[in-house]
Amino acid sequence: MQLRGDRRDASTTDQRLLDSRGPSDWVHTDPWRVLRIQAEFVEGFGALAGVPRAVSVFGSARTAAGTPEYEHGRELGRRLAEAGYAVITGGGPGVMEAANRGASEAGGYSIGLGIELPFEQRLNEWVGLGINFRYFFARKTMFVKYSQAFVCLPGGFGTLDELFEALTLVQTRKITRFPIVLFGTEYWGGLVEWIRSTVGPAGMISAADVDLLHVTDSVAEVVAIVERSQQGIDESELVGTEDSW
């Protein structure tokens, strides 16, 4: 159900769950929220159970149509669909729309996992299978559970959130054979260099952890990285590719 105008609630479901300020009525309401959370997982598992191998594509909702980033997302969606992968995005505009559009135009699976936000954001028109979530953590589980790789195009806090959550899961071996690709060397290069030159030497991560990230400017290379991972090839043995940093 979606309410509009004056009937819309000023807060989101996530906000009401996480905000512990105010009277103690949360003692009585929070246990019942578990049922709604459970329902989101059941709906997500049921809807996505039959989806073939997939790749999640992240990027800014603010990216305008016709920009290089938008066209890269569109080409990436198309190339992934042609390679037999479903394309999963957050279902919104910008890069997400571009990837969904490319997959849809190529006749592939185009999936959008939307989220309730304080401002209205509909699933974009190129989503073939769409699910709207109230809780970020339920949505994040679907991204990881049904994807074989993450690809991050230029984006903001939401993209960084998904990036580092996936990176942590791979680093701690909660998930394996899961490449994380950063598309756009100019955009992501500073972040990767900071991780390599500051975080690593400070002893906060292992030297090998930096190699969990692949950075490239080539859509073809993104697809190749995903394909090699699915074939079980140890990507640490790959040399001379654009993602070597």
Side-chain angles (χ1 to χ4, degrees):
M1 179 178 68
Q2 187 176 55
L3 301 179
R4 299 178 180 277
D6 294 338
R7 298 190 64 190
R8 290 174 55 218
D9 198 312
S11 64
T12 67
T13 308
D14 261 335
Q15 286 175 324
R16 293 190 292 275
L17 170 66
L18 298 175
D19 192 348
S20 60
R21 295 170 296 178
S24 60
D25 59 350
W26 62 269
V27 174
H28 307 289
T29 59
D30 276 3
W32 290 103
R33 285 196 177 108
V34 174
L35 297 178
R36 176 174 285 181
I37 293 168
Q38 176 180 287
E40 289 213 339
F41 279 105
V42 170
E43 180 184 5
F45 293 154
L48 298 173
V51 171
R53 56 185 187 165
V55 173
S56 287
V57 179
F58 301 98
S60 178
R62 305 182 184 190
T63 300
T67 60
E69 291 82 6
Y70 185 97
E71 294 305 321
H72 287 145
R74 186 176 175 183
E75 182 187 358
L76 177 62
R78 176 180 64 81
R79 293 288 292 269
L80 287 170
E82 291 173 347
Y85 292 91
V87 172
I88 303 176
T89 78
V95 167
M96 295 173 281
E97 174 189 298
N100 285 135
R101 180 176 180 177
S104 179
E105 291 175 334
Y109 278 84
S110 179
I111 301 169
L113 307 181
I115 186 68
E116 179 188 48
L117 295 172
F119 46 89
E120 289 190 59
Q121 180 173 298
R122 299 179 180 178
L123 293 175
N124 68 71
E125 64 179 302
W126 300 98
V127 169
L129 170 61
I131 309 172
N132 277 307
F133 290 87
R134 294 184 177 91
Y135 298 100
F136 268 108
F137 53 84
R139 179 181 184 237
K140 286 181 176 182
T141 299
M142 303 304 154
F143 278 128
V144 174
K145 180 174 176 59
Y146 294 101
S147 295
Q148 276 66 57
F150 274 13
V151 182
C152 296
L153 277 73
F157 288 158
T159 301
L160 291 169
D161 177 49
E162 298 292 354
L163 163 63
F164 281 105
E165 179 145 355
L167 192 57
T168 301
L169 290 172
V170 175
Q171 180 201 41
T172 55
R173 299 186 180 182
K174 294 293 185 180
I175 50 178
T176 59
R177 288 187 184 177
F178 194 93
I180 301 170
V181 187
L182 305 179
F183 187 92
T185 55
E186 183 176 354
Y187 188 85
W188 295 108
L191 173 64
V192 176
E193 181 57 31
W194 174 74
I195 294 173
R196 183 184 300 280
S197 63
T198 301
V199 182
M204 303 301 175
I205 59 172
S206 301
D209 289 339
V210 184
D211 297 328
L212 297 176
L213 290 169
H214 307 274
V215 188
T216 183
D217 290 314
S218 167
V219 171
E221 182 66 18
V222 173
V223 179
I225 291 170
V226 175
E227 293 276 58
R228 287 193 294 258
S229 174
Q230 290 303 293
Q231 293 167 4
I233 296 176
D234 183 358
E235 294 178 359
S236 66
E237 299 175 0
L238 301 175
V239 294
T241 60
E242 293 183 52
D243 58 298
S244 298
W245 277 72

